[in-house]
Amino acid sequence: MMKRTIEPFWWSLFGAGGTLAALFIPITLFINGLAIPLGWLAAPDYENVLQMARHPLARTYLFLLISLSFYHWAHRFRFTLYDGLQLKHLNLLIAVICYGGATVGTVAAAYTLINL
Amino acid sequence: MAVESLAGNVSETPATGQTVTLEVFRYRPEEETEPVYQAYEVPVHKDWVVLDALNHIKDHLDGTLSYRWSCRMGVCGSCGMMVNGDARLTCATFVESLLPGPIRVEPLENFPVVRDLVIEMTDFMEKLESVKPWIIRDEEKPLEDGEYLQTPAQLADFEQFSMCINCLLCYAACPVYGLEPGFTGPAVIALAQRYNLDSRDQGAGERNAVLDTDEGIWQCTLVGECSEVCPKDVDPAAAIQRYKVSSTLQWYRNLLMPWSSK
């Protein structure tokens, strides 16, 4: 049976992004934004961090975290514009801008991580 | 005095000596083109609910006021109205919790008004029918084979969603339904889930045709107000979210294994 709608696809990215972002962004922010600047954790030197980020698992983690967070934003922002600002006549344009923006962010993240 | 006897039962609770003003939405299409608000000064009785105050108006102050009610005990689902802007069953909303007033009583939001506090609910009835809220079997087993048995765990899967009394508070509270009248809406989706999750039912595919669509579950943005206002703890928002999860899994299954789809 053919499905009538592509919404499940966008919604799954939205859900995955929301879950990942809720779990891991606070941890990442805590380590990099509080613990290291306040001296609770010893600041690693640049080369060490770079080496760590180049590990395939770290690249995958960063890619998924960044990309899915973008799609989470895109889906929510799309409905904020659509329902919140009542721009439903611009539905297609809004979808292209939101998901397109998330796709641009995803490509940029992939490019940056590959060339790290 | 037949009517009086009904109201009389209620009036037996002692008057507190206070009064409260009810600002009631009036719309009499043969008299006025625009709705107006009419203020009524009503005595406050101990343990009175807003419906008691409306009945006092109807019986003693103004017999022309129209509104729906029946059971007075949160079962029939007919006395839903906006009370101070919130979708409430008026039989379950105490006047004393709203003092000193005034208390504004309006018809349920997001529906056309027939008269005064009476709304037109045909849209809901048609949507409800469209999801076939009854048990669907590919083939009924013969009578002599007995009942379709169900374990307590299987009952628990859908029981919560069967508590809906069609009071429409969730539709009045849903901002998406307000913006998108085509949206199937919370109660209808919860009632569809009541059958989809019933172990005796085989009709999920037929209901998906209506609900796994842009105007069905995918129009919901999980505002969650439906579950906030539900007087029976049905939690329609959860019903819709669960539906989204199962539809998404089905979507990926069809994508990855197209040969397995029906």
Side-chain angles (χ1 to χ4, degrees):
Chain A
M1 183 172 67
M2 275 297 292
K3 283 295 164 196
R4 289 147 221 84
T5 169
I6 185 130
E7 286 301 325
F9 174 68
W10 299 124
W11 187 77
S12 64
L13 295 182
F14 165 78
T19 310
L20 271 186
L23 282 175
F24 292 108
I25 285 186
I27 298 172
T28 312
L29 279 181
F30 177 78
I31 294 173
N32 295 296
L34 282 175
I36 293 176
L38 293 175
W40 299 340
L41 285 177
D45 67 65
Y46 178 77
E47 281 305 317
N48 276 348
V49 176
L50 194 59
Q51 280 307 318
M52 204 169 72
R54 279 177 176 154
H55 191 282
L57 281 178
R59 285 190 217 237
T60 310
Y61 165 73
L62 288 172
F63 175 73
L64 289 176
L65 187 63
I66 295 167
S67 168
L68 290 173
S69 296
F70 268 127
Y71 282 107
H72 180 79
W73 162 83
H75 193 72
R76 175 158 287 180
F77 198 63
R78 175 185 151 209
F79 281 105
T80 302
L81 294 175
Y82 184 90
D83 283 337
L85 300 184
Q86 312 212 359
L87 300 173
K88 80 174 175 183
H89 54 289
L90 300 176
N91 190 19
L92 187 64
L93 180 68
I94 289 172
V96 168
I97 289 174
C98 291
Y99 298 129
T103 306
V104 169
T106 296
V107 171
Y111 180 82
T112 309
L113 288 167
I114 288 167
N115 293 302
L116 206 61
Chain B
M1 296 301 276
V3 174
E4 196 71 324
S5 67
L6 259 185
N9 286 334
V10 181
S11 301
E12 281 169 20
T13 61
T16 62
Q18 279 174 290
T19 62
V20 65
T21 304
L22 261 68
E23 294 172 356
V24 182
F25 180 104
R26 300 299 310 269
Y27 173 60
R28 290 145 292 191
E30 73 285 356
E31 276 179 45
E32 54 217 354
T33 52
E34 291 284 316
V36 294
Y37 287 90
Q38 193 164 347
Y40 299 97
E41 193 81 4
V42 175
V44 178
H45 286 242
K46 193 171 156 36
D47 297 334
W48 259 21
V49 290
V50 172
L51 180 60
D52 294 321
L54 289 174
N55 284 341
H56 178 89
I57 294 172
K58 179 92 176 170
D59 294 340
H60 300 287
L61 304 176
D62 184 350
T64 68
L65 181 63
S66 299
Y67 53 99
R68 289 196 182 109
W69 66 287
S70 177
C71 79
R72 279 197 352 218
M73 49 192 280
V75 175
C76 75
S78 44
C79 73
M81 297 170 207
M82 306 303 290
V83 179
N84 287 344
D86 295 327
R88 304 295 304 257
L89 289 184
T90 50
C91 71
T93 304
F94 285 94
V95 170
E96 281 169 304
S97 72
L98 302 168
L99 294 179
I103 302 169
R104 182 161 274 222
V105 185
E106 296 162 298
L108 284 178
E109 209 121 308
N110 300 336
F111 290 95
V113 175
V114 177
R115 179 182 194 85
D116 295 343
L117 300 164
V118 179
I119 53 130
E120 159 64 57
M121 60 195 292
T122 307
D123 180 53
F124 169 77
M125 298 309 289
E126 286 174 355
K127 283 171 179 164
L128 182 58
E129 206 177 335
S130 76
V131 303
K132 307 184 179 176
W134 52 79
I135 286 179
I136 296 171
R137 301 284 306 176
D138 295 336
E139 220 173 304
E140 286 288 352
K141 64 180 186 181
L143 263 184
E144 54 270 25
D145 288 358
E147 309 91 334
Y148 295 99
L149 296 178
Q150 206 161 44
T151 66
Q154 287 171 326
L155 170 67
D157 280 343
F158 68 84
E159 192 176 21
Q160 176 187 13
F161 304 132
S162 73
M163 305 309 280
C164 176
I165 55 174
N166 303 354
C167 67
L168 305 188
L169 298 196
C170 54
Y171 282 77
C174 176
V176 175
Y177 182 62
L179 291 170
E180 307 281 348
F183 177 38
T184 315
V188 167
I189 300 176
L191 283 163
Q193 279 292 58
R194 178 255 170 273
Y195 291 94
N196 285 339
L197 299 172
D198 189 321
S199 58
R200 300 164 293 183
D201 182 82
Q202 299 167 328
E206 291 177 48
R207 292 185 200 102
N208 285 347
V210 180
L211 289 174
D212 191 7
T213 62
D214 289 338
E215 294 214 311
I217 55 173
W218 297 110
Q219 197 131 55
C220 165
T221 55
L222 190 55
V223 177
E225 279 299 304
C226 50
S227 297
E228 290 290 319
V229 300
C230 178
K232 307 304 279 186
D233 295 324
V234 170
D235 201 353
I240 300 173
Q241 285 303 101
R242 284 182 64 178
Y243 212 139
K244 285 181 185 173
V245 172
S246 59
S247 291
T248 301
L249 292 176
Q250 186 63 43
W251 190 88
Y252 278 100
R253 214 172 288 137
N254 291 352
L255 184 76
L256 300 172
M257 303 185 291
W259 57 88
S260 76
S261 55
K262 285 177 260 176

